[in-house]
Structure formats: C-alpha cells, structure tokens
Amino acid sequence: MERKPEDLELINQARKGDQQAFAGLVRRYESLVARTVIGMLGNVPEADDVGQEVFIRFYHAMDKFRGDAALGTYLVRIAINLSLNELKKRKKVVDITGWQGTDYQVEDMMAGEDEPGKADAHETVHKALETLEPKFRSVVVLRMIEGYDTKETAEILEIPLGTVLSRLTRAQKQLRKVLDNVTF
Amino acid sequence: MNTKAITELLHESFHRRLGEQEKTVLEKALRENADLRAQKAEIEKLMKDFGEVSFSFRPGFAERVMNRIPGKTGKIIEVDFSGQLYTFFKRLVLTGVAAIILLLLSIYLTHGSLSKESVFGVQPMSDDNLVSYLLYEEE
C-alpha cells in the first residue's frame, strides 16, 4: 500500500491538537478499516466498536508513528489484532455458554439458501468467510478483500510467506466447497 | 508432478509469481486437464467476488470516533477511586496501630505488666469470691 504524503501532514496537525485533521484521517481510512474488521467479525455491532477502537489506539500512539509503513497498513495491522482479540473473546463465550454467536457453520448457510440463485453476493461472501477459522480468515481478508500482496500480508500478520500461501490455498479450497452450491 | 501438487500450484499462481518451469508445467496441465481449467475458473470467480465486496460502518462513524477522543485540552480526567481508597485505609490502619501501641504503653506504665488481667481490666478472682459474688442477695 502506498504512503500518502498528506497523511503525515494531517498526522502532524493532529499531533498539535487539530481535531479536524484527525477526523480527516478517520474519514480517509474508515472504509479500509471497515473491510478488515467487518471481514473478520461479520456485520455485527461489535465491529463498529472495534473499528472505533482502531482509531482510538492510533490516536494515542500517534506520537510514536514514524511513517516507516503506510498509515493504511499500520491501521490494518491494529484492526487485525483487535479483531483476533474479539474473536478470542467470542470463543471464550462459546466455550462457557455454548452460544454460537454470529459465526455461521457451512450447514447453517446451505440450509438458509432456499433459492441459491437469489443469494445476495455480499451476504454470501460474509457467511462464507465466517466458516473459516480466524487464522485463515485473516489471510483471505488481507489478500482477497484488501488486495495486499502475499509479502505485505505476511508482514502485517508477522508470519512467513510460505504460511500465507498455504493458508490461502487451504482457505480457497474451503471457500470453493462452501460456495459451490451458491450462485451469486 | 501429481494432481495434488498441480492443484497447489494452481492456487499459488494467484498469489505469487511462478518460476518459468512452474509456469510451463501449469500451462501444460491446464491444456490437458479440463477439471483443472474448471478449478481455475472457480478460483478466478472467487478472487473477483471477494475483491468486489465492500463493507462499511454505519453512517456517522467518524463522528462516533471523534466523540471518544479527548477534547482540545487533551486531557481525560480519570478518577482513580481504588487509589484513594487505598490511601484512606492506609491512614486508618496506621492511626489504629498507633492508638493500640499507646494504649498498651499506658497499661504497662499503670499496671507494670501486660498480663491479660491488666489489659482487660479484670482483677483476679478466686472461686470462693466468685461463688459468694453470685450468691450475694441485696436486702
């Protein structure tokens, strides 16, 4: 992802207390963070909270941001980490209460498709993503939704390139299996 | 190269640049294998569908973020109640300990010992005294 010179300018203004400059950054990167967070968590109310938290964390760490990495990449890294934490929290709730939350299982998804031809592409991608384990979901979100290349994906997730490739292959196989019966 | 390895190569071809030899092997396999071509089409569709998807937060997201950010003074006043409680109890405990020490000291100075009787202010009582005390009837 490219570095935008205006980002540093806005960050400098925000560091000096210019709230509008920070609001400008939020608006600029809102959709990027939304794709990551909603891709990871699904379209649930917590996704909005996690999205807000991404920018709040950045606000508090702004003085440490040196601009070595693109701001987008920096925010996506925070978004992925917070989303993985949220998924861990959800898993704990499931372990304790047995409540499955909003994560769909492949069977649930197929059962809900009375008219596969009319399946909403957006929702279908959503549900297909939620059948993936978080570690597979994160590579799919970064590579296939955000459009990072495999090297950038590996850097963001701090895992080897080979691991990214193998997770992508496995994830794609599962997604194909899930989406096989669903027509966009 | 076996079918499994070719399938892996096909998947990877979407995510990394293949070497010349790998490219030749994959192209040959694709020409010869209709199933592999179908798989390639499926993956292409998958990549396209996922690439086109757009997720967004509810309207007013930036405003919600800004509402959570401290104002221009830049300071959030945090009330650390537990810290205040700790200080209060520490003072209370120190005062209590000081009072107990003073009390014991005064008892020692008055009675010359720190026996149970002197601390509780009870005079030693023999069994006979106790019996007569209990049997005493006021006229």
Side-chain angles (χ1 to χ4, degrees):
Chain A
M1 184 158 285
E2 62 181 281
R3 285 189 191 86
K4 294 179 183 166
E6 320 90 76
D7 285 351
L8 281 177
E9 206 173 297
L10 284 174
I11 291 169
N12 284 333
Q13 287 170 9
R15 277 176 185 149
K16 288 175 194 158
D18 185 343
Q19 301 273 297
Q20 284 309 312
F22 191 78
L25 286 170
V26 176
R27 286 192 192 94
R28 182 176 289 175
Y29 287 102
E30 178 186 335
S31 59
L32 178 85
V33 171
R35 283 199 302 274
T36 307
V37 173
I38 299 176
M40 288 296 292
L41 302 176
N43 207 354
V44 291
E46 303 94 80
D48 201 274
D49 296 336
V50 172
Q52 289 177 38
E53 190 59 31
V54 170
F55 288 101
I56 304 289
R57 295 271 174 115
F58 172 62
Y59 185 86
H60 291 300
M62 208 161 39
D63 289 335
K64 291 176 200 155
F65 181 76
R66 290 173 304 174
D68 297 339
L71 178 58
T73 309
Y74 187 82
L75 292 172
V76 164
R77 188 174 289 148
I78 302 175
I80 285 283
N81 288 334
L82 291 180
S83 301
L84 288 170
N85 288 348
E86 182 64 30
L87 288 170
K88 268 185 211 160
K89 262 193 254 169
R90 264 193 211 170
K91 191 175 178 299
K92 274 185 198 164
V93 173
V94 172
D95 288 347
I96 295 166
T97 64
W99 181 69
Q100 287 291 321
T102 53
D103 272 11
Y104 297 86
Q105 297 302 311
V106 180
E107 299 76 29
D108 298 339
M109 184 186 159
M110 297 310 175
E113 298 294 347
D114 293 334
E115 293 179 274
K118 290 185 181 173
D120 172 48
H122 195 84
E123 192 61 19
T124 309
V125 166
H126 233 112
K127 289 178 179 177
L129 268 174
E130 287 178 345
T131 64
L132 296 175
E133 273 180 55
K135 63 181 181 181
F136 294 108
R137 204 183 297 178
S138 56
V139 289
V140 170
V141 167
L142 293 178
R143 172 76 188 110
M144 292 168 65
I145 294 178
E146 293 288 14
Y148 287 102
D149 63 30
T150 39
K151 189 170 172 282
E152 288 170 323
T153 304
E155 280 169 7
I156 291 171
L157 296 174
E158 295 174 337
I159 54 175
L161 196 65
T163 309
V164 172
L165 283 169
S166 65
R167 283 185 188 175
L168 273 170
T169 304
R170 281 187 62 185
Q172 281 186 330
K173 281 180 186 169
Q174 187 175 335
L175 289 172
R176 276 172 51 209
K177 208 190 301 177
V178 170
L179 299 173
D180 237 8
N181 301 328
V182 183
T183 314
F184 285 100
Chain B
M1 208 177 252
N2 61 29
T3 317
K4 190 171 176 266
I6 287 285
T7 310
E8 299 281 312
L9 197 62
L10 174 67
H11 277 280
E12 287 190 10
S13 70
F14 285 87
H15 307 295
R16 71 173 172 92
R17 194 169 294 194
L18 299 182
E20 281 307 313
Q21 199 187 345
E22 289 175 319
K23 217 187 278 182
T24 315
V25 170
L26 183 62
E27 280 168 5
K28 186 173 178 284
L30 281 168
R31 274 196 304 276
E32 292 168 357
N33 190 335
D35 184 47
L36 202 65
R37 284 198 296 276
Q39 281 188 47
K40 188 186 177 196
E42 267 183 49
I43 301 169
E44 277 170 351
K45 189 174 181 312
L46 197 69
M47 293 294 288
K48 185 175 166 287
D49 290 337
F50 275 72
E52 282 174 357
V53 86
S54 70
F55 299 132
S56 53
F57 293 122
R58 283 182 292 121
F61 176 80
E63 286 68 31
R64 288 195 294 283
V65 172
M66 296 313 291
N67 285 340
R68 287 182 59 188
I69 280 173
K72 281 183 181 165
T73 51
K75 294 214 174 9
I76 298 175
I77 302 164
E78 287 183 13
V79 181
D80 186 6
F81 188 65
S82 62
Q84 288 181 339
L85 210 61
Y86 174 77
T87 314
F88 172 74
F89 276 113
K90 200 173 156 186
R91 281 181 189 164
L92 199 70
V93 166
L94 286 175
T95 314
V97 168
I100 291 167
I101 290 170
L102 281 174
L103 187 67
L104 290 173
L105 196 67
S106 70
I107 289 168
Y108 183 77
L109 291 175
T110 316
H111 296 276
S113 80
L114 283 175
S115 64
K116 195 167 67 183
E117 288 77 16
S118 52
V119 170
F120 290 107
V122 179
Q123 294 301 319
M125 190 180 274
S126 66
D127 292 347
D128 291 341
N129 286 344
L130 184 65
V131 170
S132 56
Y133 177 76
L134 291 170
L135 292 176
Y136 175 77
E137 284 179 21
E138 204 173 339
E139 289 182 8

